[in-house]
Amino acid sequence: MKIDLLGTLRKKNPIAFNISNFVTVQDVANGINALGASPIMSEEKNEAEPMVQMADSVTVNLGAFTEGQLEQISAVTTFANQYKKPIIIDPVAVGAVDYRKERCNELLDQIDVAVIRGNAGEIAALADVEWNAKGIDAGEGSGDLEEIAKKLAKKRNCVVVESGKTDIITDGEAVVRIYNETDLFKLHVGSGDMLSSTIGCFCGVEHDYFEAAQTATAVFDVAGEVVAKSMPKPLAGSFGVQLIDELHLIDTKTVEKYANFE
Ligand SMILES: Nc1ncnc2c1ncn2[C@@H]1O[C@H](COP(=O)(O)OP(=O)(O)O)[C@@H](O)[C@H]1O
Ligand SMILES: Cc1ncsc1CCOP(=O)(O)O
Ligand SMILES: [Mg+2]
């Protein structure tokens, strides 16, 4: 794993264009800004081209899109392919709502993406595997998580990050598992969105998106674990704030020391 990409990210301060959702946009912006990237958000179709041109990566979060916004998402992602900017997709709740899955699949049919990051319920839905997703959460299922992630990576010819207690990252062939975790991630709405946008930042500085996704996930998971261990009491609200603090403070040595992966 290329943990020193964290240093590269801080040196380059990549512009991370995010189409976010109204629920978690501020945590996403502050999280990746603290980490060392330069976030910019937009919902306006008419500025899609210059936004993409100046960005190093484009992260599209499908958490709360409207019908009108689909046109903007289509324009942005088409420009991103044209200008060769990596696209990261967060398919929020596509396992729970068919409308979302259909729109997401239409988008994925139109464009090439670098990374899809979702929980097991979302990844299973896009991989056409039976699963009982629960709203924005992973829900329950009995399928083999690695096989599901690989199936989607092959189907969409991209890297897949399937988050959960263990995070599974695959390019369709190789698989890396990251074991760092804390239950507090589940108590903070937006943990997944922040992870997807963190992956976007690293894809903006490393063209090997499999490597970028691994480093991003390790940095994010270790940051959460370090915060959880330092808290005298596990408090959901404070965790959200301290996670942003730790994304600012975390260094390569800390990630090297605590990252638990194979
Ligand atoms: N059961 C769990 N226990 C501990 N950490 C988890 C668990 N599920 C997910 N995480 C962590 O939470 C973060 C967000 O992932 P996840 O909750 O799967 O995304 P989402 O919020 O989109 O559902 C990741 O860093 C992941 O490692
Ligand atoms: C609650 C909610 N509703 C629509 S998007 C969203 C945030 C989802 O955040 P995450 O997937 O990171 O938990
Ligand atoms: Mg999510």
Side-chain angles (χ1 to χ4, degrees):
M1 189 184 292
K2 292 185 179 173
I3 292 172
D4 59 355
L5 284 178
L6 178 57
T8 311
L9 183 145
R10 286 183 171 145
K11 232 178 271 151
K12 292 195 175 166
N13 185 229
I15 295 182
F17 176 16
N18 283 262
I19 297 177
S20 288
N21 66 64
F22 64 83
V23 184
T24 65
V25 60
Q26 209 164 4
D27 275 344
V28 168
N30 278 315
I32 63 175
N33 194 62
L35 181 68
S38 176
I40 185 160
M41 277 63 174
S42 165
E43 297 185 355
E44 176 52 61
K45 186 183 162 194
N46 292 321
E47 61 182 11
E49 187 168 12
M51 280 284 170
V52 170
Q53 271 181 298
M54 77 173 168
D56 293 295
S57 64
V58 175
T59 302
V60 178
N61 186 296
L62 298 175
F65 64 86
T66 59
E67 189 179 4
Q69 210 185 350
L70 286 171
E71 279 182 38
Q72 183 232 359
I73 290 170
S74 179
V76 164
T77 51
T78 302
F79 282 127
N81 275 181
Q82 190 181 319
Y83 290 106
K84 302 198 183 325
K85 307 294 171 87
I87 300 171
I88 296 80
I89 300 284
D90 186 329
V92 181
V94 293
V97 184
D98 283 345
Y99 175 77
R100 287 179 182 225
K101 184 171 86 175
E102 287 157 15
R103 298 296 84 71
C104 183
N105 274 325
E106 281 166 9
L107 179 66
L108 293 171
D109 288 344
Q110 278 172 33
I111 54 159
D112 293 323
V113 299
V115 182
I116 301 172
R117 196 296 309 169
N119 60 43
E122 293 157 352
I123 300 303
L126 297 180
D128 309 308
V129 173
E130 193 64 33
W131 196 276
N132 287 317
K134 186 179 178 193
I136 61 165
D137 295 324
E140 304 283 337
S142 57
D144 181 312
L145 289 171
E146 286 190 17
E147 288 311 313
I148 292 169
K150 275 184 171 176
K151 190 176 173 197
L152 179 59
K154 282 189 187 133
K155 179 179 178 189
R156 294 300 181 184
N157 191 27
C158 68
V159 171
V160 167
V161 178
E162 186 182 41
S163 54
K165 196 172 174 66
T166 298
D167 291 323
I168 295 168
I169 305 164
T170 181
D171 60 2
E173 299 295 337
V175 177
V176 170
R177 301 161 203 86
I178 300 182
Y179 299 107
N180 301 91
E181 47 120 344
T182 165
D183 283 346
L184 285 168
F185 274 131
K186 291 186 289 178
L187 286 176
H188 179 250
V189 172
S191 293
D193 298 352
M194 291 172 76
L195 172 58
S196 298
S197 293
T198 299
I199 293 168
C201 298
F202 280 91
C203 287
V205 298
E206 169 59 58
H207 294 301
D208 182 335
Y209 305 130
F210 187 40
E211 288 288 351
Q214 290 171 46
T215 308
T217 306
V219 167
F220 188 77
D221 286 5
V222 169
E225 204 177 77
V226 165
V227 171
K229 280 185 184 148
S230 74
M231 292 178 89
K233 248 182 164 186
L235 299 171
S238 311
F239 175 74
V241 174
Q242 289 183 42
L243 179 59
I244 293 172
D245 291 343
E246 186 57 30
L247 288 169
H248 181 207
L249 294 173
I250 198 164
D251 56 19
T252 306
K253 274 191 187 149
T254 306
V255 185
E256 273 165 359
K257 185 170 172 193
Y258 294 112
N260 181 6
F261 63 91
E262 62 174 6

